[in-house]
Amino acid sequence: MSQVHIKTKINGDNIEFLCDPEETLLDILRDKLHLTGTKEGCGTGDCGACSITLDGKLVCSCLVLGAEADNSEISTIEGMSNGEKLHPLQQKFLDHAALQCGVCTPGILVAAKSLLEKNPDPTESEVRYWLAGNLCRCTGYDKIIKAVLDAAKEMRG
Amino acid sequence: MSPLDNTYEKQFKVIGTRPPRPDGIEKVTGKAQYGADLYVPDMLYAKILRSPHPHAKIISIDTSEAEKLDGVKAVITSKDFSKFSENKPSDTLVNCIAHEKALYDGHCVAAVAALSNTIAKSALKLINVEYEILPHVTDVDEAMKTDSPIVNKGYVLENVPKGFSENVTSYYEFGHGDLDNGFNNADLIVERTFKTEAAHQGYIEPHACLASMTPDGKADLWCCTQGHYNVRALCADIMGMESSQLRVTPSEIGGGFGGKTTIFIEPIALALSLKSGKPVKLVMTRDEVFKATGPTVSSSMDVKIGMTKDGIITAGEAHLRYQGGAFPNGTVEMGAQSAFAAYDLKAVRTKGWNVLTNRPKQAAYRAPGAPQAIYAVESVVDELCQKLNLDPLEIRIKNAAKKGTKSSYGPTFDDIGLIATLEAAQKHPHYLAPLAENQGRGLSCGFWFNFGGDTCVTLNVNFDGTIGVTEGNPDIGGSRASISQMAAEELGISYDKVRTIIADTNSLGHNEVTDGSRVTFAVGLATIKAARAAIKEMCKRASLIWGIDEDAVRWENGSAIPAGPNAGQFDPMSIEEIAALSSQTGGPIAGHHEVNAEGAGVSFGVHLADVEVDKETGSTKVIRYTVFQDAGKAIHPSYVEGQMQGGAVQGIGWALNEEYIYGKDGRLQNAGFLDYRIPVASDLPMIEPVILEIPNPGHPYGVRGVGETSIVPPLAAINNAVSRATNIRFSELPLSPPKVLSSLKKELKDG
Amino acid sequence: MVKVRIWGSLQKATDNKEFVEVEAQNFKQLLDNLSLKYPKLKPQITRGVSVAIDGMIYRNSWFTPIKPENEVVLMPYMVGG
């Protein structure tokens, strides 16, 4: 089957790629573009390790086809910091030791950023429910939730 | 080691602080490279064909059509491994790829390497396997019966009593004292049968590797593992290679918890690489992780405990039956030794049987074997307390093992921290906080052995006086930070002057797997010793410069100084000054230490859990949870807390939802995170960690392993909380909503 | 002589004796002399045993010293996760 030509903007850069019609956006990001910060934990939309935003909407990139991304704007973990300046969420994750193995961290950061853009002052419960689609097996979530709440506080100024 | 070597009484400068981890920025920016993140030129993608049958003889495998598919570069079956070794294939190899029989649903039977994942997947459909389906067994009690299908022949050890099927491979018995007399002295005896289902370690990163092997017998292997030296040993054996020719480089690891202590896909990738002549990347899907990598054992257990009216335990007995899949395992003996470890008992007996079934080979999971047995014991202790109207925490203190207790597994305990841990729980506001309707509080003790093992550390003093530490244990939860802290502490320099890296197998001597809660203990110990060796050398260099005796120099606050007034008047020489002159004074300076670290010391934990049970749905919500654990000395308290919180939540998942569900057809029904439900953020409250520090005399700074003990108490803590909230004694895990609801309905019906 | 405690199911290999005595000044001599005196212990010793000396568990360090006054307990080889 012939490949599809896709034009996107990823983390602010114009990127074009060819993909098989059945290839997922996650596979394109990783295998073709080598943006490996987006992780595959399940491939079925259950773990959130592949979280990205697509036209501002938080999605599991394993559930999106590469071909669906035509003319869209994509943000991944690689676009979260600004040069050498970390996003406040990234800094708070370090300060609070909110990661152990770190493999779920990119997805959780992307998801948390998306939350704070919609709701700059979430309650603990709101953070927990928003992140319920992002599995972490190491931390028990405690330090993650604290880091998100602390980052929100700092970002509100 | 003489006790004088230990410095845990002194005031620490770096130990006990919470510096940022050295790998932190890579991990929050997506730069860190995990198992599946490496791409090399001309690389192929591999996929595995797995048996859909739980037990079947493999009559033939026809790979010819798959080989013809455009883009397919190699196809392998078990036959491809026979040329590497004349020996009988090891269990590890047969678990990686089925030989004569497929032994469980999901057992690998063949593999393909192709230009893309898409082509490799298409090729799998073209492989034709002819099976002769055999009767199967997945339940432990069924598998022990003499008329059970036999899973795997030839594994029965000499110690197994008669009267069981050949699936019972080993038997253990521990204990002391007169049980009959003990039970006769009891005012109340509770005897119950418990069951736990297999739980998966559930690491978010599936197994992944990239192998490149050449016809001259050399290979490079990149993989996510808890122990790359073990990967090398196992793969070299399977591939008929010399260890020196196989270099294994560990990637960052996306969780392991015991599940990445062995190999599953690495020999497959190596064989495909050799056959195709190209590098081969092999990444498991989540479905494969569930079906073909290690969950825990599942168990069936009988526990009987007697107690007097005033709460003295007079006797305890446990019979443990653990199934660990299609190959023998050594789990039940750990459970049988741990079951009653928290108690000072005059009469105690535990018996354990390891059993084969048509399930994947169990792999270690945090304190392997202990959570199940201790769940059963702690549930019965709680029931006795409830029935005798006794305070469960006071009763545990009353019966607690302490210095001088003859432990249930044999040795007499030296200083242990159990009573201090229980007392910390008793004093904590959580213990007396009021509970509302439908809420219950559960308590449990936990125990684990911990160990040390083979460890190598090299510590290089760079010319600018900074330090490079090279160690060989994959960092699974922040250990690079704690190792750097110990190096800095010992050298008297600041944390940011030290960088710790994890070496590949050819850059450092053998290191045991990151397991047994050993890394902060054993690698830490070796790092401190390596630092002391470097200090000795730096003192020698200062003595040469000063022209005084080597013994007349000592180390203080990162500098060499004259040992006393008689040594002469010299200004301190800092590590920077000595390092800068190292070429002129004899060459580069380094310290190293190689050891089989013993003296890890056992560890106890106490958990308090409050739950609320929704009587309409049977759903249980954890509303408050506190973990009390003795860390010996917390090097980086945040990561110690992280171990305590993470282990607790894994145990909560095991207690409430996680289970392997096998159908009558022997197939796994829930091989995905949707149906195998691990705890999510909205399921949980904050998990409060309370660290106790009772120094371990076996470590220079008093460190005790903390990684495993935390998964032990939650099973019973949750079970006891739910049982008290509903006034129904439960004895099967998980306490999933349908199970709780049906018991609630039955109770209502029976009045 | 060192007095060694044998765990329950292993006592089949020591004529049902819970305690046995062997000449040993370290872990290796203990294993060697146990195997000599009680050949039925050999399969388990080959598979692996740990030893607890005065409550401290040693997995396999052969030259760990053992004194007659030590409490010595044989245990299965430790595994962990």
Short mmCIF file of all heavy atoms in Angstrom, two decimals, chain A residues 88-140:
data_model
loop_
_atom_site.label_atom_id
_atom_site.label_comp_id
_atom_site.label_asym_id
_atom_site.label_seq_id
_atom_site.Cartn_x
_atom_site.Cartn_y
_atom_site.Cartn_z
N PRO A 88 7.94 24.98 34.86
CA PRO A 88 7.78 24.82 36.33
C PRO A 88 7.38 23.41 36.74
O PRO A 88 7.80 22.93 37.80
CB PRO A 88 6.68 25.83 36.67
CG PRO A 88 6.74 26.86 35.59
CD PRO A 88 7.22 26.16 34.35
N LEU A 89 6.56 22.74 35.94
CA LEU A 89 6.18 21.36 36.29
C LEU A 89 7.40 20.45 36.30
O LEU A 89 7.58 19.62 37.19
CB LEU A 89 5.17 20.82 35.27
CG LEU A 89 3.70 21.15 35.52
CD1 LEU A 89 2.89 20.91 34.25
CD2 LEU A 89 3.14 20.32 36.67
N GLN A 90 8.27 20.61 35.31
CA GLN A 90 9.48 19.78 35.25
C GLN A 90 10.35 20.03 36.48
O GLN A 90 10.85 19.09 37.11
CB GLN A 90 10.27 20.09 33.96
CG GLN A 90 9.53 19.65 32.70
CD GLN A 90 10.22 20.11 31.43
OE1 GLN A 90 10.58 21.28 31.29
NE2 GLN A 90 10.41 19.19 30.48
N GLN A 91 10.50 21.31 36.83
CA GLN A 91 11.33 21.66 37.99
C GLN A 91 10.73 21.10 39.27
O GLN A 91 11.44 20.54 40.11
CB GLN A 91 11.48 23.18 38.08
CG GLN A 91 12.47 23.64 39.14
CD GLN A 91 13.87 23.05 38.92
OE1 GLN A 91 14.42 23.12 37.81
NE2 GLN A 91 14.44 22.42 39.94
N LYS A 92 9.41 21.20 39.41
CA LYS A 92 8.77 20.71 40.64
C LYS A 92 8.84 19.18 40.73
O LYS A 92 8.91 18.63 41.82
CB LYS A 92 7.31 21.19 40.71
CG LYS A 92 7.17 22.70 40.92
CD LYS A 92 7.77 23.13 42.26
CE LYS A 92 7.65 24.63 42.46
NZ LYS A 92 8.46 25.10 43.60
N PHE A 93 8.79 18.52 39.58
CA PHE A 93 8.95 17.06 39.62
C PHE A 93 10.32 16.68 40.17
O PHE A 93 10.46 15.70 40.90
CB PHE A 93 8.71 16.44 38.23
CG PHE A 93 7.29 16.00 38.00
CD1 PHE A 93 6.25 16.90 38.15
CD2 PHE A 93 7.00 14.68 37.68
CE1 PHE A 93 4.93 16.50 37.96
CE2 PHE A 93 5.68 14.27 37.50
CZ PHE A 93 4.64 15.18 37.63
N LEU A 94 11.33 17.46 39.81
CA LEU A 94 12.68 17.19 40.34
C LEU A 94 12.74 17.53 41.83
O LEU A 94 13.24 16.76 42.64
CB LEU A 94 13.73 17.99 39.57
CG LEU A 94 13.87 17.64 38.09
CD1 LEU A 94 14.93 18.53 37.43
CD2 LEU A 94 14.21 16.17 37.90
N ASP A 95 12.18 18.70 42.18
CA ASP A 95 12.25 19.15 43.58
C ASP A 95 11.54 18.19 44.52
O ASP A 95 11.96 17.97 45.65
CB ASP A 95 11.61 20.54 43.74
CG ASP A 95 12.34 21.62 42.96
OD1 ASP A 95 13.49 21.36 42.53
OD2 ASP A 95 11.76 22.71 42.76
N HIS A 96 10.42 17.64 44.06
CA HIS A 96 9.61 16.76 44.92
C HIS A 96 9.96 15.28 44.78
O HIS A 96 9.27 14.44 45.34
CB HIS A 96 8.12 16.96 44.62
CG HIS A 96 7.55 18.24 45.15
ND1 HIS A 96 6.93 18.34 46.36
CD2 HIS A 96 7.55 19.49 44.62
CE1 HIS A 96 6.56 19.60 46.57
NE2 HIS A 96 6.91 20.31 45.52
N ALA A 97 10.99 14.97 44.01
CA ALA A 97 11.34 13.55 43.74
C ALA A 97 10.11 12.79 43.25
O ALA A 97 9.82 11.70 43.70
CB ALA A 97 11.94 12.89 44.98
N ALA A 98 9.40 13.42 42.31
CA ALA A 98 8.13 12.86 41.84
C ALA A 98 8.31 11.78 40.78
O ALA A 98 7.35 11.39 40.14
CB ALA A 98 7.24 13.98 41.32
N LEU A 99 9.54 11.36 40.57
CA LEU A 99 9.76 10.25 39.64
C LEU A 99 10.75 9.27 40.25
O LEU A 99 11.65 9.66 40.98
CB LEU A 99 10.30 10.75 38.29
CG LEU A 99 11.56 11.61 38.32
CD1 LEU A 99 12.47 11.26 37.16
CD2 LEU A 99 11.18 13.07 38.26
N GLN A 100 10.52 8.00 39.97
CA GLN A 100 11.52 7.00 40.35
C GLN A 100 12.15 6.46 39.08
O GLN A 100 13.25 6.83 38.73
CB GLN A 100 10.87 5.91 41.21
CG GLN A 100 10.66 6.38 42.65
CD GLN A 100 9.99 5.34 43.51
OE1 GLN A 100 10.19 4.14 43.35
NE2 GLN A 100 9.16 5.78 44.44
N CYS A 101 11.44 5.59 38.36
CA CYS A 101 12.05 5.09 37.11
C CYS A 101 11.96 6.14 36.02
O CYS A 101 12.80 6.18 35.13
CB CYS A 101 11.43 3.77 36.68
SG CYS A 101 9.88 3.92 35.77
N GLY A 102 10.92 6.96 36.04
CA GLY A 102 10.82 8.07 35.10
C GLY A 102 10.17 7.76 33.77
O GLY A 102 10.03 8.66 32.94
N VAL A 103 9.72 6.53 33.54
CA VAL A 103 9.21 6.22 32.19
C VAL A 103 7.81 6.78 31.99
O VAL A 103 7.43 7.11 30.87
CB VAL A 103 9.30 4.70 31.90
CG1 VAL A 103 8.14 3.93 32.49
CG2 VAL A 103 9.40 4.46 30.40
N CYS A 104 7.05 6.94 33.05
CA CYS A 104 5.72 7.53 32.91
C CYS A 104 5.78 9.04 32.95
O CYS A 104 4.80 9.72 32.66
CB CYS A 104 4.79 7.04 34.03
SG CYS A 104 5.24 7.67 35.67
N THR A 105 6.94 9.59 33.36
CA THR A 105 7.06 11.02 33.65
C THR A 105 6.72 11.92 32.45
O THR A 105 5.96 12.88 32.62
CB THR A 105 8.48 11.32 34.19
OG1 THR A 105 8.73 10.43 35.29
CG2 THR A 105 8.61 12.74 34.66
N PRO A 106 7.25 11.65 31.24
CA PRO A 106 6.89 12.53 30.13
C PRO A 106 5.38 12.62 29.91
O PRO A 106 4.84 13.73 29.77
CB PRO A 106 7.58 11.88 28.92
CG PRO A 106 8.73 11.12 29.50
CD PRO A 106 8.22 10.62 30.82
N GLY A 107 4.70 11.51 29.93
CA GLY A 107 3.25 11.49 29.72
C GLY A 107 2.53 12.24 30.82
O GLY A 107 1.58 13.00 30.57
N ILE A 108 2.99 12.07 32.06
CA ILE A 108 2.33 12.74 33.18
C ILE A 108 2.56 14.25 33.11
O ILE A 108 1.66 15.04 33.35
CB ILE A 108 2.80 12.13 34.52
CG1 ILE A 108 2.26 10.70 34.64
CG2 ILE A 108 2.34 12.99 35.71
CD1 ILE A 108 2.50 10.00 35.95
N LEU A 109 3.78 14.64 32.73
CA LEU A 109 4.06 16.07 32.61
C LEU A 109 3.19 16.71 31.52
O LEU A 109 2.63 17.79 31.71
CB LEU A 109 5.55 16.29 32.30
CG LEU A 109 6.49 16.08 33.50
CD1 LEU A 109 7.95 16.02 33.03
CD2 LEU A 109 6.31 17.19 34.52
N VAL A 110 3.08 16.05 30.38
CA VAL A 110 2.26 16.58 29.28
C VAL A 110 0.81 16.70 29.73
O VAL A 110 0.14 17.71 29.49
CB VAL A 110 2.41 15.69 28.02
CG1 VAL A 110 1.35 16.04 26.98
CG2 VAL A 110 3.81 15.82 27.42
N ALA A 111 0.33 15.65 30.43
CA ALA A 111 -1.06 15.66 30.90
C ALA A 111 -1.27 16.75 31.94
O ALA A 111 -2.28 17.46 31.93
CB ALA A 111 -1.43 14.30 31.47
N ALA A 112 -0.31 16.89 32.86
CA ALA A 112 -0.44 17.88 33.92
C ALA A 112 -0.42 19.31 33.34
O ALA A 112 -1.17 20.18 33.78
CB ALA A 112 0.66 17.71 34.95
N LYS A 113 0.42 19.52 32.35
CA LYS A 113 0.50 20.84 31.71
C LYS A 113 -0.86 21.18 31.09
O LYS A 113 -1.36 22.30 31.20
CB LYS A 113 1.60 20.83 30.65
CG LYS A 113 1.80 22.13 29.93
CD LYS A 113 3.10 22.12 29.13
CE LYS A 113 3.30 23.36 28.29
NZ LYS A 113 2.79 23.23 26.93
N SER A 114 -1.43 20.18 30.46
CA SER A 114 -2.72 20.36 29.83
C SER A 114 -3.79 20.70 30.87
O SER A 114 -4.65 21.56 30.65
CB SER A 114 -3.06 19.07 29.07
OG SER A 114 -4.33 19.10 28.56
N LEU A 115 -3.72 20.08 32.03
CA LEU A 115 -4.65 20.40 33.12
C LEU A 115 -4.50 21.84 33.56
O LEU A 115 -5.48 22.59 33.66
CB LEU A 115 -4.41 19.46 34.32
CG LEU A 115 -5.08 19.87 35.63
CD1 LEU A 115 -6.60 19.77 35.52
CD2 LEU A 115 -4.59 19.02 36.80
N LEU A 116 -3.25 22.24 33.81
CA LEU A 116 -3.03 23.59 34.36
C LEU A 116 -3.38 24.69 33.37
O LEU A 116 -3.68 25.81 33.76
CB LEU A 116 -1.59 23.74 34.88
CG LEU A 116 -1.17 22.76 35.99
CD1 LEU A 116 0.19 23.13 36.55
CD2 LEU A 116 -2.21 22.71 37.13
N GLU A 117 -3.35 24.35 32.08
CA GLU A 117 -3.78 25.35 31.08
C GLU A 117 -5.29 25.57 31.17
O GLU A 117 -5.78 26.67 30.95
CB GLU A 117 -3.39 24.88 29.67
CG GLU A 117 -1.93 25.20 29.37
CD GLU A 117 -1.35 24.41 28.20
OE1 GLU A 117 -2.13 23.72 27.50
OE2 GLU A 117 -0.13 24.48 28.00
N LYS A 118 -6.01 24.50 31.50
CA LYS A 118 -7.47 24.62 31.62
C LYS A 118 -7.87 25.10 33.00
O LYS A 118 -8.84 25.81 33.16
CB LYS A 118 -8.10 23.24 31.42
CG LYS A 118 -8.11 22.81 29.97
CD LYS A 118 -8.72 21.41 29.88
CE LYS A 118 -8.70 20.85 28.49
NZ LYS A 118 -7.59 21.24 27.64
N ASN A 119 -7.16 24.63 34.00
CA ASN A 119 -7.54 24.89 35.39
C ASN A 119 -6.27 25.22 36.18
O ASN A 119 -5.60 24.32 36.67
CB ASN A 119 -8.24 23.65 35.96
CG ASN A 119 -8.65 23.84 37.41
OD1 ASN A 119 -8.39 24.89 38.00
ND2 ASN A 119 -9.28 22.83 37.98
N PRO A 120 -5.98 26.52 36.31
CA PRO A 120 -4.71 26.89 36.96
C PRO A 120 -4.71 26.63 38.47
O PRO A 120 -3.66 26.68 39.08
CB PRO A 120 -4.57 28.39 36.68
CG PRO A 120 -5.79 28.80 35.97
CD PRO A 120 -6.73 27.66 35.81
N ASP A 121 -5.88 26.39 39.04
CA ASP A 121 -5.94 26.22 40.50
C ASP A 121 -6.72 24.95 40.86
O ASP A 121 -7.77 25.02 41.51
CB ASP A 121 -6.59 27.48 41.12
CG ASP A 121 -6.46 27.49 42.64
OD1 ASP A 121 -5.70 26.65 43.19
OD2 ASP A 121 -7.13 28.33 43.28
N PRO A 122 -6.23 23.78 40.45
CA PRO A 122 -6.99 22.56 40.70
C PRO A 122 -6.89 22.12 42.15
O PRO A 122 -5.90 22.39 42.82
CB PRO A 122 -6.32 21.53 39.78
CG PRO A 122 -4.90 22.01 39.67
CD PRO A 122 -4.95 23.52 39.77
N THR A 123 -7.91 21.42 42.63
CA THR A 123 -7.83 20.79 43.95
C THR A 123 -7.04 19.49 43.81
O THR A 123 -6.80 19.01 42.69
CB THR A 123 -9.24 20.44 44.46
OG1 THR A 123 -9.79 19.48 43.56
CG2 THR A 123 -10.14 21.66 44.54
N GLU A 124 -6.66 18.90 44.95
CA GLU A 124 -5.96 17.61 44.92
C GLU A 124 -6.80 16.57 44.17
O GLU A 124 -6.31 15.82 43.33
CB GLU A 124 -5.68 17.11 46.34
CG GLU A 124 -4.96 15.76 46.33
CD GLU A 124 -4.88 15.09 47.71
OE1 GLU A 124 -4.86 15.78 48.72
OE2 GLU A 124 -4.83 13.84 47.73
N SER A 125 -8.09 16.60 44.45
CA SER A 125 -8.98 15.63 43.83
C SER A 125 -9.04 15.83 42.32
O SER A 125 -9.04 14.85 41.55
CB SER A 125 -10.36 15.82 44.45
OG SER A 125 -11.09 14.66 44.33
N GLU A 126 -9.07 17.08 41.89
CA GLU A 126 -9.11 17.34 40.44
C GLU A 126 -7.82 16.86 39.76
O GLU A 126 -7.86 16.33 38.67
CB GLU A 126 -9.34 18.84 40.18
CG GLU A 126 -10.79 19.26 40.41
CD GLU A 126 -10.99 20.77 40.45
OE1 GLU A 126 -10.02 21.53 40.73
OE2 GLU A 126 -12.13 21.20 40.22
N VAL A 127 -6.70 17.06 40.43
CA VAL A 127 -5.43 16.58 39.86
C VAL A 127 -5.48 15.05 39.77
O VAL A 127 -5.11 14.46 38.74
CB VAL A 127 -4.22 17.03 40.69
CG1 VAL A 127 -2.92 16.44 40.13
CG2 VAL A 127 -4.12 18.55 40.74
N ARG A 128 -5.94 14.42 40.83
CA ARG A 128 -5.98 12.94 40.83
C ARG A 128 -6.87 12.40 39.72
O ARG A 128 -6.52 11.44 39.05
CB ARG A 128 -6.45 12.43 42.20
CG ARG A 128 -5.39 12.58 43.29
CD ARG A 128 -5.80 11.92 44.60
NE ARG A 128 -4.75 12.05 45.60
CZ ARG A 128 -3.69 11.25 45.70
NH1 ARG A 128 -3.55 10.23 44.87
NH2 ARG A 128 -2.77 11.46 46.63
N TYR A 129 -8.03 13.01 39.53
CA TYR A 129 -8.93 12.51 38.48
C TYR A 129 -8.39 12.83 37.08
O TYR A 129 -8.50 12.01 36.17
CB TYR A 129 -10.36 13.02 38.69
CG TYR A 129 -11.09 12.15 39.69
CD1 TYR A 129 -11.08 12.46 41.05
CD2 TYR A 129 -11.74 10.98 39.29
CE1 TYR A 129 -11.71 11.64 41.98
CE2 TYR A 129 -12.37 10.15 40.20
CZ TYR A 129 -12.35 10.48 41.55
OH TYR A 129 -12.96 9.65 42.46
N TRP A 130 -7.80 14.01 36.92
CA TRP A 130 -7.24 14.35 35.60
C TRP A 130 -6.12 13.37 35.23
O TRP A 130 -6.00 12.96 34.07
CB TRP A 130 -6.70 15.79 35.61
CG TRP A 130 -6.17 16.20 34.26
CD1 TRP A 130 -4.90 16.07 33.80
CD2 TRP A 130 -6.93 16.78 33.19
NE1 TRP A 130 -4.81 16.53 32.53
CE2 TRP A 130 -6.03 16.97 32.11
CE3 TRP A 130 -8.27 17.16 33.02
CZ2 TRP A 130 -6.44 17.53 30.89
CZ3 TRP A 130 -8.66 17.71 31.81
CH2 TRP A 130 -7.75 17.88 30.77
N LEU A 131 -5.32 12.99 36.22
CA LEU A 131 -4.17 12.10 35.93
C LEU A 131 -4.53 10.62 36.07
O LEU A 131 -3.65 9.76 36.01
CB LEU A 131 -3.01 12.44 36.87
CG LEU A 131 -2.35 13.81 36.65
CD1 LEU A 131 -1.22 14.02 37.67
CD2 LEU A 131 -1.80 13.96 35.23
N ALA A 132 -5.82 10.32 36.24
CA ALA A 132 -6.20 8.91 36.43
C ALA A 132 -5.90 8.06 35.20
O ALA A 132 -5.84 6.83 35.29
CB ALA A 132 -7.68 8.82 36.80
N GLY A 133 -5.70 8.70 34.06
CA GLY A 133 -5.37 7.94 32.84
C GLY A 133 -3.88 7.78 32.64
O GLY A 133 -3.44 7.26 31.60
N ASN A 134 -3.08 8.25 33.58
CA ASN A 134 -1.63 8.12 33.47
C ASN A 134 -1.12 7.21 34.57
O ASN A 134 -1.06 7.60 35.74
CB ASN A 134 -0.96 9.50 33.59
CG ASN A 134 -1.23 10.36 32.38
OD1 ASN A 134 -2.27 11.01 32.29
ND2 ASN A 134 -0.31 10.35 31.44
N LEU A 135 -0.76 6.00 34.21
CA LEU A 135 -0.32 5.04 35.22
C LEU A 135 1.13 5.29 35.63
O LEU A 135 1.99 5.55 34.80
CB LEU A 135 -0.43 3.61 34.68
CG LEU A 135 -1.82 3.17 34.22
CD1 LEU A 135 -1.76 1.72 33.73
CD2 LEU A 135 -2.83 3.31 35.35
N CYS A 136 1.35 5.22 36.93
CA CYS A 136 2.71 5.21 37.47
C CYS A 136 2.78 4.02 38.42
O CYS A 136 1.90 3.85 39.26
CB CYS A 136 3.00 6.50 38.24
SG CYS A 136 4.51 6.38 39.22
N ARG A 137 3.77 3.17 38.26
CA ARG A 137 3.85 1.99 39.12
C ARG A 137 4.83 2.17 40.26
O ARG A 137 4.85 1.38 41.19
CB ARG A 137 4.26 0.80 38.25
CG ARG A 137 4.14 -0.56 38.92
CD ARG A 137 2.75 -0.89 39.43
NE ARG A 137 2.51 -2.32 39.52
CZ ARG A 137 1.44 -2.87 40.08
NH1 ARG A 137 0.50 -2.09 40.59
NH2 ARG A 137 1.30 -4.17 40.11
N CYS A 138 5.68 3.21 40.19
CA CYS A 138 6.75 3.33 41.19
C CYS A 138 6.35 4.13 42.42
O CYS A 138 6.73 3.78 43.53
CB CYS A 138 7.97 4.04 40.59
SG CYS A 138 8.82 3.14 39.29
N THR A 139 5.67 5.25 42.22
CA THR A 139 5.63 6.26 43.28
C THR A 139 4.42 6.20 44.19
O THR A 139 4.42 6.84 45.24
CB THR A 139 5.62 7.68 42.67
OG1 THR A 139 4.41 7.82 41.91
CG2 THR A 139 6.82 7.92 41.78
N GLY A 140 3.34 5.53 43.75
CA GLY A 140 2.11 5.62 44.52
C GLY A 140 1.43 6.98 44.35
O GLY A 140 0.51 7.30 45.09
#
